[in-house]
Structure formats: C-alpha cells, structure tokens
Amino acid sequence: THDYENFISSILLKQTARSCAFAVRSFNVEIARIAEQVSQKSIGLMRMQFWDDTLDKCFMNDFKKVPQNPVAIELFNAVKTCKLTKRYLKNLIISRKENLNSNGFHNLEDMEKYCELSVSSVYYLILEGSKIKNLDADHAASHLGKAQGIVQQLRNIPHTQKLNFIPVPQAILTKNNVNHEELLRSRSSKPLSDCVYEVASRAYQHLSKSRSLEKKVPPEGRRAFLSAVAIAAYLDKLQKVDYDVFHPRLKHREWTLLPKIWLASFKNRY
C-alpha cells in the first residue's frame, strides 16, 4: 500500500534476503510515515522514540522484550538471522528525527546527505541480508539510495501542503525565483520545472553511477537493486512531461513496470 515499487522488487529476492528486505522496508515505512500522520512535532518525536526503543530491544536477543507489533517481530527475526548492523537501522530514525525539526533542505548536498541516511542505509541492510560483503556493492548502494531518495522528494512536491515540508532545496528555488506558494498551491510554471530539472538531473547522475558499477556487484547483490528500474521509469516519464511534477500522467502507475522489473531480474541486471 505504501511502498509498492520496493515491495515488487523485494519479492524477487531469494528466501532469507527477501524476509530481511520486507522487515527493513516495513520498518522504514513505519518511520517515514510518522511525519504525515501527526500534526504536532512532539507527538512525532514520541512515536520515533517508540521505534528507537523497539530497535534497541530487537538487539537484546530476548524476544519477550520486543513489542508484539508485526513489524517489530519481523525486524527482530531479521536482526537475529542476518546479523544486521544497528548503525544503519539507527540512521533511518536519526534522519527522520532531524527532518521533523526542519521544513526543507538548504541545498542539494543537504538532500543527498538525508538520502544517504534514509535510503542508502536500507540498501546496505538488504545487502547484509543477502550475505553480500563487497565494496563495489556498497558504492552502488550509496548512489542508488541517493537517486531513489531524490526521486521520492520530487514525488512529494504535489503533497507539499500536507507534509508541511518543502521538498525542493531552498537554494534552487531562490535561484529560479520560485516561492513556496507555488509548491503549496500545486501550481505549474516554467521556473518550477527548471528547479525540478536540476534536482532530477542529480538523481539521474547517481542512478547512472550506480548502474555503471553493475558488473562489479555480485549477482545476488544486483537483485537487491531492482528498484533502480522504477527510479529510471519515473525519471523517464518526468522528462517526457517537461519536468512538470503536477502532470496527471505522473499520478498513474504504468502496467509496464512489472514486466520491466521481472525482465531485469531474469537478466540479473538493474
């Protein structure tokens, strides 16, 4: 319901890696949705603290201490089975906590740092679940996470008012003379499209870099990166509508995505 493209990609992983991916991505969804579920930051921070405490309990190796929450139970199993690195899981919480106390990014570099913590960390964990220890795979994961994180911010633009967060870096908005009102009212304009183009270009650069490392990534590690297909598909659609993030075509999920992901998996590519 909340992370369809990553869900589809995770299905194609094998056994233990698939279970780990579902646990990690479910945990990530729970944390990521807190910002849109609460109207007061204090309540959001309380929910973050619940998951922070839950994470600590998952590493205590005592199932009785883990809250009887389906996501918490699966996370406990993944931590125990795959020996996941606690730091990466903590990064998912830390990045969202910092964003609760902010209403946007200052520049693209700030956005990239956020994406490294909130998305690349997910890929590092799935690689651990796939028993992959490889520097090239980690390098590819870092770039893919940044690409996916940036694309997610672009997708958030039509929901700016609901999220109470400005997804486009302030430096880029200022350079193109775009004010927050255009984002809050979902108003298309050439200057805003120029902003989107600049942000999307950075996402494309990271995606291209990740894909350039494909042959150096172990075969099972490539399966962990199948979400790259969906990222590329969105960037392609965005280009075709001249970077108008409010275009109706971007709201619809194309039926070709499923066969594209399956074909990439069959060819052991991403």
Side-chain angles (χ1 to χ4, degrees):
T1 301
H2 302 290
D3 199 10
Y4 178 79
E5 292 169 0
N6 286 323
F7 167 72
I8 293 300
S9 301
S10 299
I11 283 177
L12 296 169
L13 289 167
K14 294 180 180 178
Q15 299 171 344
T16 304
R18 182 170 61 239
S19 298
C20 174
F22 283 154
V24 171
R25 290 202 179 280
S26 297
F27 175 63
N28 194 41
V29 167
E30 286 288 343
I31 300 166
R33 294 187 64 233
I34 288 175
E36 64 187 65
Q37 290 175 326
V38 301
S39 56
Q40 297 179 355
K41 289 181 181 179
S42 58
I43 297 175
L45 289 171
M46 286 171 63
R47 292 193 183 184
M48 290 285 187
Q49 191 59 50
F50 165 79
W51 284 108
D52 204 358
D53 295 340
T54 296
L55 182 57
D56 289 335
K57 291 171 183 174
C58 285
F59 278 86
M60 287 180 182
N61 208 26
D62 185 354
F63 181 71
K64 293 179 180 178
K65 294 182 179 180
V66 178
Q68 294 305 293
N69 173 292
V71 173
I73 292 170
E74 286 304 310
L75 188 61
F76 172 83
N77 291 332
V79 167
K80 186 177 180 181
T81 305
C82 304
K83 311 299 180 186
L84 299 180
T85 300
K86 188 176 184 179
R87 174 168 53 89
Y88 295 143
L89 289 163
K90 284 283 187 180
N91 283 346
L92 302 180
I93 298 175
I94 291 169
S95 58
R96 272 42 180 266
K97 271 187 178 179
E98 290 177 351
N99 257 32
L100 274 177
N101 294 316
S102 169
N103 66 345
F105 305 105
H106 177 64
N107 51 40
L108 266 175
E109 288 68 31
D110 288 344
M111 180 185 280
E112 286 175 319
K113 289 175 185 176
Y114 170 76
C115 295
E116 170 70 26
L117 291 174
S118 65
V119 187
S120 297
S121 295
V122 171
Y123 285 110
Y124 299 145
L125 290 161
I126 295 175
L127 285 175
E128 289 185 337
S130 303
K131 310 298 181 188
I132 302 293
K133 291 185 178 180
N134 179 281
L135 287 176
D136 290 312
D138 288 345
H139 192 188
S142 175
H143 284 288
L144 184 59
K146 288 173 184 173
Q148 187 169 36
I150 293 171
V151 163
Q152 186 55 56
Q153 294 304 320
L154 291 174
R155 286 177 151 178
N156 283 342
I157 292 175
H159 313 291
T160 298
Q161 189 170 23
K162 178 183 176 183
L163 296 173
N164 194 29
F165 186 85
I166 306 299
V168 182
Q170 185 59 48
I172 294 177
L173 291 174
T174 302
K175 184 172 74 174
N176 291 280
N177 295 315
V178 176
N179 58 47
H180 293 178
E181 198 68 23
E182 292 181 51
L183 296 175
L184 293 170
R185 293 188 177 182
S186 299
R187 185 185 298 163
S188 299
S189 69
K190 179 63 169 63
L192 179 56
S193 293
D194 290 340
C195 293
V196 172
Y197 169 75
E198 186 169 345
V199 176
S201 295
R202 186 66 64 91
Y204 182 76
Q205 289 169 14
H206 284 298
L207 178 63
S208 297
K209 181 60 180 178
S210 180
R211 284 179 157 177
S212 72
L213 296 166
E214 183 182 77
K215 292 182 179 178
K216 296 180 180 180
V217 176
E220 191 56 30
R222 295 175 202 168
R223 289 181 180 270
F225 299 154
L226 285 173
S227 294
V229 177
I231 299 167
Y234 178 82
L235 289 173
D236 184 51
K237 281 198 298 182
L238 190 60
Q239 182 184 33
K240 288 177 179 176
V241 297
D242 293 325
Y243 299 96
D244 176 11
V245 286
F246 304 118
H247 197 283
R249 184 179 173 185
L250 297 177
K251 298 177 183 177
H252 302 295
R253 187 182 295 144
E254 293 189 3
W255 69 268
T256 56
L257 183 61
L258 280 173
K260 281 180 180 177
I261 292 176
W262 181 86
L263 185 62
S265 176
F266 179 76
K267 291 181 175 180
N268 200 14
R269 304 193 65 182
Y270 63 89

